[in-house]
């Protein structure tokens, strides 16, 4: 029997079947689309293909985070039973959900002073956040205590690398991250920005490349530069994509060819509706354990 319950949010961008199989309760972010509010429920309310098609057709979803009441409702049964909880949140660098989780924890401790609720800011997003959740789940299943697992997550969260590229700049324009002229010339020339997550959990543009093939190659080079043990990397590798499975599979093929000692095949997931509301379609993200992120 596990020593603690592991929880996370839907923005870890792993399949619902994964969470069910590994017994990880997850809390849903929310988004509003065409005047209707939905849970970010891993493609159940709106299939990912339909969601990204709606964005391509001009829809502009608005997201909202998990609130303190949701956290309390999820954790109270465990607090009442004296079962320790370890919760990993989406990066505080892009969301305020860590603050909501803290407020819920403090409220529960007032009612259940002996409750053990350990909060860890993942400083990650999408399936990079999911990769950290997966590693903590392995620790849980190996018999670690809640305190040991939370401490390990805090000590290793900056070793999870996040590299993103996008082939569609429309959402960058809508979000104010690029100008109209940058969107026009970037789209005309096939410019693909390469971004990563810094040590504060913020998504930072790093460079721009012309053409999908070039940016895919450059992203995998970043894994060669930073992965633990280089080409002898023994860990897991996750990918996520927003309506561009062909490109994601091409990156997975490159990774599997260059890192023959991977722990299993590259796991390919969909970018969920919360993260996808900001990236739009055409994004591929690569996640792996490596050296510590410094900036």
């Amino acid at each position: 029997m596990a020593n603690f319950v592991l929880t996370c949010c839907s923005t870890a961008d792993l399949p619902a079947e994964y969470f069910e199989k590994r017994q990880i309760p997850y809390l849903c972010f929310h988004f509003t689309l065409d005047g209707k509010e939905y849970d970010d429920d891993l493609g159940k309310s709106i299939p990912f293909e339909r969601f990204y098609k709606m964005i391509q057709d001009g829809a502009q979803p608005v997201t909202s985070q998990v609130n303190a009441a949701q956290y309390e409702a999820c954790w109270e049964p465990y607090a009442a039973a004296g079962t320790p909880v370890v919760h990993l949140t989406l990066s505080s660098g892009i969301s305020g959900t860590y603050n909501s989780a803290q407020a819920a924890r403090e409220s529960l401790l007032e009612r259940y002073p002996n409750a053990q609720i350990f909060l860890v800011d993942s400083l990650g997003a999408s399936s990079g956040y999911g990769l950290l959740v997966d590693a903590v789940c392995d620790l849980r299943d190996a018999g670690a205590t809640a305190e040991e697992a939370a401490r390990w997550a805090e000590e290793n969260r900056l070793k999870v690398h996040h590299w993103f590229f996008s082939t569609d700049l429309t959402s960058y324009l809508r979000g104010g991250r690029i100008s109209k002229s940058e969107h026009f010339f970037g789209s005309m020339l096939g410019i693909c920005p390469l971004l990563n997550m810094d040590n504060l959990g913020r998504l930072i543009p790093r460079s721009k490349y012309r053409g999908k093939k070039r940016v895919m190659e450059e992203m995998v080079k970043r894994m060669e530069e930073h992965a633990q043990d280089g080409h002898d990397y023994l860990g897991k590798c996750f990918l996520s994509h927003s309506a561009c499975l062909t490109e994601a599979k091409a990156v997975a093929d490159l990774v599997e060819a260059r890192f023959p000692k991977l722990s299993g095949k590259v796991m390919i997931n969909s970018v969920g509706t919360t993260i996808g509301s900001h990236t739009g379609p055409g994004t591929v993200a690569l996640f792996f354990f490596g050296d510590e992120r410094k900036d």
Side-chain angles (χ1 to χ4, degrees), residues 97-205:
T97 191
Y98 182 77
N99 295 330
S100 297
Q102 282 185 313
R105 178 181 180 275
E106 291 169 6
S107 178
L108 286 170
L109 287 175
E110 290 178 0
R111 301 200 297 279
Y112 308 97
N114 296 322
Q116 297 183 66
I117 302 172
F118 297 87
L119 301 181
V120 179
D121 179 354
S122 74
L123 297 178
S126 194
S127 296
Y129 168 22
L131 185 60
L132 187 66
V133 169
D134 177 80
V136 174
C137 191
D138 287 344
L139 291 174
R140 181 203 66 185
D141 293 350
T145 66
E147 184 175 4
E148 289 169 341
R151 185 186 312 117
W152 184 92
E154 289 187 343
E155 291 174 351
N156 289 274
R157 59 190 175 180
L158 290 179
K159 294 179 182 177
V160 180
H161 281 250
H162 302 57
W163 289 94
F164 298 72
F165 73 78
S166 181
T167 61
D168 187 334
L169 303 179
T170 303
S171 291
Y172 290 79
L173 173 65
R174 290 174 180 167
R177 293 186 291 272
I178 61 173
S179 67
K180 289 184 179 180
S181 61
E182 287 176 316
H183 175 261
F184 175 77
F185 288 109
S187 299
M188 183 174 64
L189 297 173
I191 299 298
C192 301
L194 181 65
L195 310 88
N196 81 334
M197 195 72 81
D198 72 1
N199 63 329
L200 298 178
R202 303 170 302 184
L203 194 56
I204 306 295

Side-chain angles (χ1 to χ4, degrees), residues 9-13 29-30 40 62-66 71 88-100 121-130 162 164 172 177 195-205 240 271-279 283 285 287 293:
C9 297
S10 57
T11 46
D13 286 352
F29 273 58
H30 315 278
D40 174 18
V62 177
T63 62
S64 58
Q65 65 193 33
V66 178
Y71 282 120
L88 277 64
T89 70
L90 178 66
S91 172
S92 61
I94 59 175
S95 171
T97 191
Y98 182 77
N99 295 330
S100 297
D121 179 354
S122 74
L123 297 178
S126 194
S127 296
Y129 168 22
H162 302 57
F164 298 72
Y172 290 79
R177 293 186 291 272
L195 310 88
N196 81 334
M197 195 72 81
D198 72 1
N199 63 329
L200 298 178
R202 303 170 302 184
L203 194 56
I204 306 295
S240 58
V271 174
T273 49
T274 295
I275 304 297
S277 293
H278 302 282
T279 67
T283 293
F287 311 101
R293 288 151 34 200

